């Protein structure tokens, strides 16, 4: 039950953050983030991951302590930038020597029959995702430094997710044409399969 609440809160974060910042109430989104971290800490402690759970609780306590400071609003910039940067690292690290490209790992789990042309395509696609997330992260950082918080929020909480979704759709259409007759799933069937894959299954 707790994990489902956490997932719901995390999925709702971008739109909640955008609306709250549009209403000029940054304290609300900081409290929202604190709630997510608090529930995540409880979940970790329930699963006996005491170190990470207590660390998260300490982090929540520190945010609560500094809540009245004016500079605490800069915490708003970190989640989207960290997410985009983390995705860039996740994809790009899988391209290092001795590693399996992340897209290939997904393909293996999905049970795809991979030929040489599929392996080349999957590696190129992993490179494309890496560059895409790097550009997104850099754009978010530059907007945070040089633009208004409204413009930054519009990009990181709305436009970036639309771009990611568009990338998924365009790539799926291209791949279905590129490998004509080999892909039977519809786009939504493909997404459902992707969602079911657990992170620990993607280890090298």
């Amino acid at each position: 039950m707790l994990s489902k609440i956490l997932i719901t809160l995390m999925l709702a974060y971008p739109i909640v953050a955008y609306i709250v910042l549009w209403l000029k109430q940054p304290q609300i989104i900081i409290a929202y983030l604190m709630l997510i971290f608090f529930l995540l800490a409880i979940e970790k402690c329930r699963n006996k991951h005491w170190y990470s759970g207590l660390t998260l609780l300490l982090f929540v306590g520190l945010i609560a302590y500094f809540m009245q400071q004016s500079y605490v609003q800069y915490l708003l910039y970190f989640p989207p930038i960290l997410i985009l940067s983390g995705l860039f690292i996740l994809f790009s690290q899988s391209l290092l020597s001795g590693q399996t490209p992340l897209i290939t790992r997904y393909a293996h789990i999905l049970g795809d029959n991979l030929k040489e042309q599929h392996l080349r395509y999957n590696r190129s696609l992993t490179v494309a995702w890496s560059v895409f997330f790097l550009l997104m992260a850099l754009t978010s950082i530059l907007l945070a430094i040089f633009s208004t918080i409204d413009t930054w929020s519009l990009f990181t909480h709305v436009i970036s997710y639309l771009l990611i979704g568009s990338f998924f759709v365009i790539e799926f259409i291209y791949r279905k044409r590129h490998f004509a007759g080999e892909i039977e799933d519809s786009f939504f069937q493909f997404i459902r399969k992707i969602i079911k894959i657990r992170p620990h299954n993607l280890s090298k």
Side-chain angles (χ1 to χ4, degrees):
M1 179 64 179
L2 183 58
S3 60
K4 290 181 179 179
I5 294 174
L6 263 171
I7 292 172
T8 301
L9 290 173
M10 290 177 181
L11 291 176
Y13 172 78
I15 190 64
V16 171
Y18 177 71
I19 292 172
V20 168
L21 290 177
W22 180 68
L23 294 173
K24 310 297 183 186
Q25 298 294 329
Q27 294 82 1
I28 294 178
I29 198 58
I30 293 173
Y32 188 94
L33 286 170
M34 288 173 62
L35 175 61
I36 290 177
F37 285 124
F38 177 75
L39 293 178
L40 185 58
I42 298 301
E43 180 73 4
K44 292 290 185 181
C45 291
R46 283 181 58 190
N47 293 325
K48 298 183 179 181
H49 298 155
W50 302 109
Y51 179 78
S52 54
L54 293 175
T55 301
L56 284 168
L57 286 174
L58 177 62
F59 183 66
V60 171
L62 287 173
I63 295 177
Y65 178 78
F66 290 109
M67 190 76 169
Q68 301 305 315
Q69 305 297 325
S70 59
Y71 54 77
V72 77
Q73 65 179 338
Y74 293 113
L75 288 172
L76 297 171
Y77 292 103
F78 282 93
I81 292 174
L82 288 176
I83 290 171
L84 292 170
S85 300
L87 288 169
F88 162 68
I89 292 171
L90 178 66
F91 278 82
S92 60
Q93 279 189 336
S94 73
L95 295 167
L96 297 176
S97 177
Q99 298 288 324
T100 303
L102 190 62
I103 302 299
T104 301
R105 298 180 198 176
Y106 272 101
H108 280 305
I109 294 172
L110 292 173
D112 292 350
N113 182 22
L114 300 179
K115 302 175 183 177
E116 184 61 33
Q117 63 265 32
H118 299 120
L119 295 174
R120 288 197 301 269
Y121 179 82
N122 289 343
R123 184 173 185 83
S124 298
L125 182 56
T126 304
V127 172
W129 275 111
S130 299
V131 173
F132 176 77
F133 284 123
L134 175 61
L135 292 175
M136 296 273 281
L138 290 175
T139 301
S140 184
I141 292 170
L142 291 173
L143 287 175
I145 297 173
F146 298 110
S147 189
T148 65
I149 192 169
D150 289 338
T151 301
W152 172 85
S153 178
L154 177 62
F155 176 79
T156 57
H157 297 131
V158 179
I159 295 176
S160 64
Y161 289 91
L162 292 176
L163 290 174
I164 292 171
S166 299
F167 196 124
F168 261 112
V169 173
I170 293 170
E171 188 281 322
F172 181 81
I173 293 172
Y174 172 80
R175 178 156 38 93
K176 200 156 188 176
R177 291 181 178 177
H178 186 69
F179 298 108
E182 296 186 31
I183 301 174
E184 297 180 357
D185 289 341
S186 68
F187 176 74
F188 293 106
Q189 288 173 326
F190 169 70
I191 292 297
R192 280 198 292 269
K193 288 182 177 180
I194 292 293
I195 292 173
K196 290 179 181 179
I197 296 176
R198 296 294 176 260
H200 65 268
N201 293 328
L202 293 171
S203 58
K204 178 188 168 187

